[in-house]
Amino acid sequence: MRAIQITEFGGPEVLNVTELPDPVAGEGQLLIDVSRAGINYADTHQAENSYLSPSTLPMVPGGEVVGTTADGRRVVALVGSGGYAEKALAPQALAWDVPDGIDDVTALSMVVQGATAWVLLRRSVHMEPGESVVVHAAAGGVGTLAVQLAKAWGAGRVIATASSKEKRELAVELGADVAIDANEPDMKSALITANGGKRVDIVLEMTGGTVTDDSLKALAPFGRLAFYGMASRKPPAPVQPANLMSHSTTIAGMWLAHVFQLPGDIMRQALGDLFALAADGNMRVINGGEYGLTEVRKAHEDMRARRTSGKLILDPSR
């Protein structure tokens, strides 16, 4: 089969098309003929071995696929690695049937990015109707869905940030009440101004660095910030517990992998909600572009340069 393989860690230049033996399913695994694979920002960290879980070489990157099993089921699945290929193995417990009417792009958008937005709002910050919600990187895969979920669940005001005029316009089109420049030099003041002069209740943050620092300073009493990524590759300043007390604020970290350690089938609940919203036309997935195997380097370059919006897709057939 054709696949992308990494034999040394680094940037987009280490992503190489190669021929590999077809994987063979073991006990508890499904072999999936991949129709599309998802391309996520986390994949850029995986390629350079800077992700939360260490990578090992050689490696086929890619953590999510949609395709067909040997018995004809159409499933979307989490594979950990191995997704950038014509065939992939997935644990049976991490594969979910795709409802009729849900296309490949929508299925892939929901399994990681949609579920991340769902868990952030439902479990990490426990959003209540009427609260203000800041969504950083609002034109990204998680951000576009988080904006829509916050609105659907009754947020009082959704404040988006994005790095270009086009991305800010997209965020507003998806339901944000206001969108501000992600490069604002004083993000704290910009967020408070965007919220009508009031501190904000909730921040969903995946940038890191000063964006995190300023967002914390903009939180209202009992405000919550959920941190789920570090796209800038710059860590925020250390947080002192006394500073949290000064405004009764909460910081939550979220990594989707930990959802599977919780009682109950959280992922099935999240995907059920998300697929229903999409099927009813109440959630729109942004197709950020489809790349063939030979174009994967460009996909990673585009993501790292902030040239993309929405969900990026890999077509392993080309």
Side-chain angles (χ1 to χ4, degrees):
M1 68 172 186
R2 293 171 75 235
I4 297 294
Q5 188 179 58
I6 295 173
T7 56
E8 61 178 326
F9 293 122
E13 74 281 353
V14 304
L15 302 168
N16 296 303
V17 181
T18 188
E19 288 283 341
L20 294 175
D22 288 357
V24 178
E27 185 176 353
Q29 290 183 313
L30 292 174
L31 177 63
I32 299 172
D33 285 320
V34 179
S35 58
R36 299 289 188 279
I39 304 174
N40 292 309
Y41 199 88
D43 300 346
T44 69
H45 286 286
Q46 194 177 44
E48 65 184 15
N49 200 23
S50 62
Y51 199 47
L52 292 174
S53 56
S55 304
T56 56
L57 297 175
M59 176 184 65
V60 176
E64 61 187 19
V65 300
V66 62
T68 307
T69 64
D71 59 0
R73 292 169 59 202
R74 182 164 169 258
V75 299
V76 63
L78 298 176
V79 297
S81 62
Y84 289 11
E86 292 179 316
K87 297 178 184 291
L89 295 176
Q92 290 178 357
L94 301 184
W96 298 272
D97 291 313
V98 180
D100 292 341
I102 298 296
D103 62 28
D104 285 354
V105 178
T106 300
L108 285 170
S109 294
M110 299 310 185
V111 74
V112 169
Q113 292 162 326
T116 294
W118 191 98
V119 172
L120 285 167
L121 290 168
R122 278 277 190 251
R123 307 274 312 203
S124 298
V125 301
H126 301 281
M127 190 200 93
E128 296 286 345
E131 290 189 309
S132 55
V133 179
V134 174
V135 180
H136 287 298
V142 175
T144 53
L145 299 174
V147 165
Q148 295 176 79
L149 270 182
K151 268 300 185 184
W153 290 343
R157 189 166 180 80
V158 176
I159 301 164
T161 76
S163 59
S164 71
K165 180 175 180 290
E166 292 75 20
K167 290 182 177 183
R168 293 191 289 276
E169 289 174 347
L170 173 61
V172 171
E173 181 184 337
L174 293 174
D177 295 285
V178 62
I180 62 178
D181 192 338
N183 298 308
E184 279 284 348
D186 185 355
M187 183 61 72
K188 172 191 170 183
S189 297
L191 293 178
I192 293 173
T193 298
N195 197 37
K198 299 182 293 184
R199 290 175 174 270
V200 299
D201 297 308
I202 289 168
V203 176
L204 306 184
E205 157 59 352
M206 54 81 68
T207 306
T210 58
V211 173
T212 306
D213 300 336
D214 287 351
S215 297
L216 277 171
K217 295 172 185 175
L219 285 176
F222 293 99
R224 291 90 73 201
L225 181 146
F227 189 73
Y228 67 101
M230 197 166 64
S232 71
R233 289 170 164 79
K234 297 177 182 177
V239 175
Q240 300 299 322
N243 292 338
L244 299 179
M245 291 177 61
S246 66
H247 281 96
S248 297
T249 50
T250 298
I251 299 175
M254 203 285 284
W255 185 26
L256 191 63
H258 292 140
V259 166
F260 302 101
Q261 299 177 21
L262 297 175
D265 197 338
I266 301 299
M267 277 294 291
R268 191 169 299 280
Q269 182 182 349
L271 288 174
D273 286 352
L274 293 164
F275 286 151
L277 285 167
D280 292 342
N282 294 319
M283 178 167 285
R284 173 185 164 201
V285 167
I286 303 302
N287 187 338
E290 190 167 292
Y291 300 77
L293 284 177
T294 59
E295 301 169 307
V296 167
R297 290 185 181 182
K298 184 177 187 305
H300 279 224
E301 290 165 357
D302 288 346
M303 280 194 298
R304 294 182 67 147
R306 293 184 170 186
R307 289 193 290 262
T308 65
S309 298
K311 184 63 183 173
L312 273 62
I313 300 296
L314 173 70
D315 179 355
S317 69
R318 61 182 182 88

PDB file of all heavy atoms in Angstrom, residues 18 67 125 174 197 223 231 267 299:
ATOM      1  N   THR A  18       5.812   6.381   0.437  1.00  0.00           N
ATOM      2  CA  THR A  18       6.531   5.118   0.293  1.00  0.00           C
ATOM      3  C   THR A  18       5.542   3.978   0.099  1.00  0.00           C
ATOM      4  O   THR A  18       4.336   4.140   0.266  1.00  0.00           O
ATOM      5  CB  THR A  18       7.406   4.853   1.538  1.00  0.00           C
ATOM      6  OG1 THR A  18       8.240   3.728   1.304  1.00  0.00           O
ATOM      7  CG2 THR A  18       6.554   4.601   2.761  1.00  0.00           C
ATOM      8  N   GLY A  67     -13.589   5.103   6.495  1.00  0.00           N
ATOM      9  CA  GLY A  67     -13.486   4.139   5.408  1.00  0.00           C
ATOM     10  C   GLY A  67     -14.375   2.946   5.658  1.00  0.00           C
ATOM     11  O   GLY A  67     -15.325   3.003   6.444  1.00  0.00           O
ATOM     12  N   VAL A 125     -15.206  23.252  30.891  1.00  0.00           N
ATOM     13  CA  VAL A 125     -15.618  24.568  31.405  1.00  0.00           C
ATOM     14  C   VAL A 125     -17.072  24.598  31.852  1.00  0.00           C
ATOM     15  O   VAL A 125     -17.515  25.586  32.433  1.00  0.00           O
ATOM     16  CB  VAL A 125     -15.374  25.681  30.351  1.00  0.00           C
ATOM     17  CG1 VAL A 125     -13.917  25.750  29.970  1.00  0.00           C
ATOM     18  CG2 VAL A 125     -16.253  25.483  29.115  1.00  0.00           C
ATOM     19  N   LEU A 174     -20.356  31.948  11.063  1.00  0.00           N
ATOM     20  CA  LEU A 174     -20.706  30.718  11.769  1.00  0.00           C
ATOM     21  C   LEU A 174     -21.436  30.971  13.078  1.00  0.00           C
ATOM     22  O   LEU A 174     -21.875  30.017  13.727  1.00  0.00           O
ATOM     23  CB  LEU A 174     -19.446  29.897  12.032  1.00  0.00           C
ATOM     24  CG  LEU A 174     -18.762  29.315  10.790  1.00  0.00           C
ATOM     25  CD1 LEU A 174     -17.451  28.645  11.167  1.00  0.00           C
ATOM     26  CD2 LEU A 174     -19.676  28.331  10.068  1.00  0.00           C
ATOM     27  N   GLY A 197     -17.219  45.634  27.660  1.00  0.00           N
ATOM     28  CA  GLY A 197     -16.575  46.217  28.837  1.00  0.00           C
ATOM     29  C   GLY A 197     -16.561  45.309  30.052  1.00  0.00           C
ATOM     30  O   GLY A 197     -16.065  45.702  31.114  1.00  0.00           O
ATOM     31  N   GLY A 223     -14.497  32.690  36.263  1.00  0.00           N
ATOM     32  CA  GLY A 223     -14.258  32.385  34.860  1.00  0.00           C
ATOM     33  C   GLY A 223     -13.381  31.155  34.715  1.00  0.00           C
ATOM     34  O   GLY A 223     -12.633  30.782  35.627  1.00  0.00           O
ATOM     35  N   ALA A 231      -0.198  25.924  19.766  1.00  0.00           N
ATOM     36  CA  ALA A 231       0.170  26.079  18.363  1.00  0.00           C
ATOM     37  C   ALA A 231       1.372  26.991  18.171  1.00  0.00           C
ATOM     38  O   ALA A 231       2.148  26.815  17.231  1.00  0.00           O
ATOM     39  CB  ALA A 231      -1.021  26.613  17.573  1.00  0.00           C
ATOM     40  N   MET A 267     -17.530   9.414  24.132  1.00  0.00           N
ATOM     41  CA  MET A 267     -17.361   9.659  22.695  1.00  0.00           C
ATOM     42  C   MET A 267     -18.627   9.334  21.920  1.00  0.00           C
ATOM     43  O   MET A 267     -19.004  10.069  21.000  1.00  0.00           O
ATOM     44  CB  MET A 267     -16.189   8.842  22.156  1.00  0.00           C
ATOM     45  CG  MET A 267     -14.836   9.496  22.373  1.00  0.00           C
ATOM     46  SD  MET A 267     -14.623  11.039  21.428  1.00  0.00           S
ATOM     47  CE  MET A 267     -14.555  10.424  19.756  1.00  0.00           C
ATOM     48  N   ALA A 299       0.386  20.439   3.047  1.00  0.00           N
ATOM     49  CA  ALA A 299      -0.661  20.537   4.067  1.00  0.00           C
ATOM     50  C   ALA A 299      -0.073  20.961   5.413  1.00  0.00           C
ATOM     51  O   ALA A 299      -0.608  21.850   6.085  1.00  0.00           O
ATOM     52  CB  ALA A 299      -1.390  19.202   4.197  1.00  0.00           C
TER      53      ALA A 299
END
